[in-house]
């Protein structure tokens, strides 16, 4: 069964600092991976996705993530945090086989940005 | 933004009462999903649909039923609401094609069972 582990339920950074949100996956077949962002009282919004075309994936709002098969990781980064990045972030995985319509989500990481 | 609406957006109900939440899409997507979101648990899949009248259970389906009589509507029913079903419920949609089925989410329904 697939699973996703997000290390750190809460990450706090200063405005302008590097953002690093960690995601490790467990999948028996090559995965597709996603990062979603959720702002307060809203639904989830797709930030970026990995589909095996390129290991470094660029998303919206200056975020990017790198797929590392050897580390089974798909960490999310942004060089310089902005106050508007404060939100909860979810990593999700599906397999590249026949049942890739179902996502398995991590428990989420709440990002706080301090002025 | 994907055309997904959920109704109601907020609801307070009493234990033992049946409750129906509605998800409506204007994207004509094949797949529709119901999740619940609880602190410390992330999103957990309740039920999903892969076509009209075609539904299946997710990981937390006990106490919930669904129906899909039209492509655009997916209903979630709590047959007899309990306090443990107090949660935020999200609907999502996705479509077939090449590559992964990224899901698009509605705004959510906050349900409180007293």
């Amino acid at each position: 069964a697939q699973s996703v582990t997000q290390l750190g339920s809460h990450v706090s950074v200063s405005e302008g600092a590097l953002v690093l949100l960690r995601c490790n996956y467990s999948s028996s077949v090559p995965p597709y991976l996603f990062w979603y962002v959720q702002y307060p009282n809203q639904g989830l919004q797709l930030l970026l996705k990995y589909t095996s075309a390129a290991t470094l994936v660029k998303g919206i709002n200056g975020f990017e993530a790198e797929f590392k098969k050897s580390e089974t990781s798909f960490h999310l980064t942004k060089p310089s945090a902005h106050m508007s990045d404060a939100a909860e972030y979810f990593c999700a995985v599906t397999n590249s086989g026949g049942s890739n319509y179902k996502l398995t989500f991590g428990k989420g990481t709440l990002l706080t940005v301090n002025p | 933004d994907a055309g997904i609406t959920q109704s109601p957006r907020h609801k307070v109900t009493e234990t033992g009462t049946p409750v129906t939440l509605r998800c409506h899409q204007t994207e004509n997507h094949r797949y529709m999903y119901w999740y619940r979101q609880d602190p410390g648990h992330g999103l957990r899949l309740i039920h999903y649909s892969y076509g009209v009248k075609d539904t299946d259970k997710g990981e937390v389906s006990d106490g919930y039923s669904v129906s899909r009589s039209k492509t655009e509507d997916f209903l979630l029913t709590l047959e007899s609401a309990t306090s443990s079903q107090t949660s935020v419920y999200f609907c999502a949609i996705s479509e077939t094609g090449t590559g992964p089925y990224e899901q698009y989410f509605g705004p959510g329904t906050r349900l409180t069972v007293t």
Side-chain angles (χ1 to χ4, degrees):
Chain A
Q2 299 164 336
S3 66
V4 171
T5 301
Q6 292 186 238
L7 295 175
S9 59
H10 188 191
V11 170
S12 182
V13 300
S14 298
E15 192 173 19
L18 171 72
V19 175
L20 171 61
L21 304 182
R22 300 179 186 273
C23 173
N24 288 89
Y25 68 90
S26 171
S27 176
S28 57
V29 297
Y32 292 138
L33 293 154
F34 306 81
W35 275 100
Y36 284 84
V37 60
Q38 184 181 31
Y39 299 102
N41 299 313
Q42 295 186 24
L44 277 70
Q45 178 182 357
L46 182 66
L47 264 182
L48 50 80
K49 64 183 179 183
Y50 166 74
T51 62
S52 76
T55 57
L56 183 62
V57 181
K58 295 187 184 298
I60 62 172
N61 302 337
F63 283 93
E64 63 182 35
E66 186 172 8
F67 175 73
K68 292 187 177 180
K69 185 178 179 180
S70 61
E71 299 177 8
T72 61
S73 68
F74 190 56
H75 301 332
L76 182 70
T77 61
K78 182 174 181 179
S80 177
H82 192 273
M83 297 294 291
S84 61
D85 295 325
E88 191 157 22
Y89 293 80
F90 293 92
C91 183
V93 64
T94 187
N95 66 52
S96 57
S99 62
N100 60 0
Y101 48 85
K102 288 201 291 183
L103 298 182
T104 299
F105 285 86
K107 296 185 187 306
T109 297
L110 182 65
L111 176 67
T112 302
V113 182
N114 303 306
Chain B
D1 291 343
I4 310 169
T5 56
Q6 293 184 230
S7 58
R9 294 293 314 280
H10 301 271
K11 186 170 181 66
V12 179
T13 192
E14 294 184 348
T15 298
T17 304
V19 175
T20 296
L21 308 182
R22 180 184 183 232
C23 177
H24 179 78
Q25 61 147 329
T26 58
E27 306 297 322
N28 202 35
H29 281 10
R30 177 183 175 188
Y31 291 90
M32 298 186 75
Y33 312 81
W34 277 108
Y35 292 90
R36 61 178 289 173
Q37 183 179 29
D38 304 289
H41 291 277
L43 275 81
R44 293 180 290 176
L45 182 65
I46 305 171
H47 283 279
Y48 65 98
S49 169
Y50 46 95
V52 173
K53 297 186 180 180
D54 292 323
T55 65
D56 205 350
K57 296 178 179 181
E59 62 178 299
V60 290
S61 60
D62 287 349
Y64 301 96
S65 61
V66 291
S67 64
R68 191 171 179 198
S69 59
K70 298 185 291 186
T71 298
E72 58 266 34
D73 289 325
F74 192 32
L75 304 180
L76 176 71
T77 297
L78 288 65
E79 293 140 9
S80 178
T82 67
S83 58
S84 65
Q85 293 176 311
T86 292
S87 187
V88 181
Y89 292 85
F90 288 99
C91 174
I93 64 174
S94 67
E95 186 49 277
T96 56
T98 58
Y101 296 12
E102 61 257 37
Q103 295 181 15
Y104 299 94
F105 285 78
T109 294
R110 184 172 296 275
L111 177 68
T112 302
V113 183
T114 61

